């Protein structure tokens, strides 16, 4: 119950551990051999990076006591990378739709 008290007092530990748990299977399955073995399930599994990024940003913000500059940098970088991925996805989707409608 000391553990529960500590976790309630410091929720950033829980958030950091949750992000780490989400990223652990991603690290384990990032090899070419695992990509071949998991096939389409590899892509589904690696979508866990999206909530992991959000939870990691929350972890850093909660952990910060006064200067939120570093946390803000991580949040902006995470948002930029996710925005880049979203843009690529939308462009790819748009190009396949225009090909199939022609």
């Amino acid at each position: 119950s000391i553990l529960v008290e500590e976790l309630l007092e410091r929720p950033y530990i829980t958030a950091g551990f949750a992000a780490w748990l989400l990223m652990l299977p991603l690290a384990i399955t990032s090899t070419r051999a695992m990509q071949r073995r998991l096939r389409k399930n590899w892509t589904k599994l690696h979508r866990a990076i999206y909530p992991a990024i959000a939870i990691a940003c929350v972890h850093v913000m909660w952990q910060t006591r006064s200067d939120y500059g570093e946390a803000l940098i991580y949040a902006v970088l995470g948002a930029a990378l996710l925005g880049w991925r979203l843009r690529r996805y939308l462009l790819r989707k748009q190009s396949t739709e225009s090909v199939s409608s022609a």
Side-chain angles (χ1 to χ4, degrees):
S1 125
I2 294 174
L3 175 65
V4 173
E5 287 177 32
E6 288 294 317
L7 291 176
L8 289 174
E9 200 173 303
R10 296 175 183 85
Y12 64 87
I13 294 172
T14 305
F17 188 62
W20 184 82
L21 281 177
L22 281 172
M23 289 188 278
L24 182 62
L26 305 184
I28 293 169
T29 61
S30 287
T31 63
R32 292 275 183 217
M34 287 302 289
Q35 289 175 15
R36 283 192 301 270
R37 181 189 244 171
L38 292 172
R39 296 186 185 149
K40 288 190 176 198
N41 290 326
W42 183 87
T43 303
K44 291 177 186 175
L45 174 66
H46 278 252
R47 287 186 185 137
I49 194 61
Y50 303 120
I53 288 173
I55 294 169
C57 287
V58 168
H59 162 74
V60 173
M61 286 186 181
W62 274 347
Q63 188 177 14
T64 303
R65 299 272 183 224
S66 59
D67 181 20
Y68 288 96
E70 183 181 3
L72 187 60
I73 290 170
Y74 289 131
V76 167
L77 286 173
L81 290 170
L82 291 176
W84 178 62
R85 292 286 310 227
L86 178 62
R87 182 177 176 272
R88 282 184 49 203
Y89 169 77
L90 292 173
L91 289 173
R92 197 175 312 133
K93 185 177 176 184
Q94 184 181 35
S95 69
T96 58
E97 286 176 357
S98 65
V99 169
S100 64
S101 66

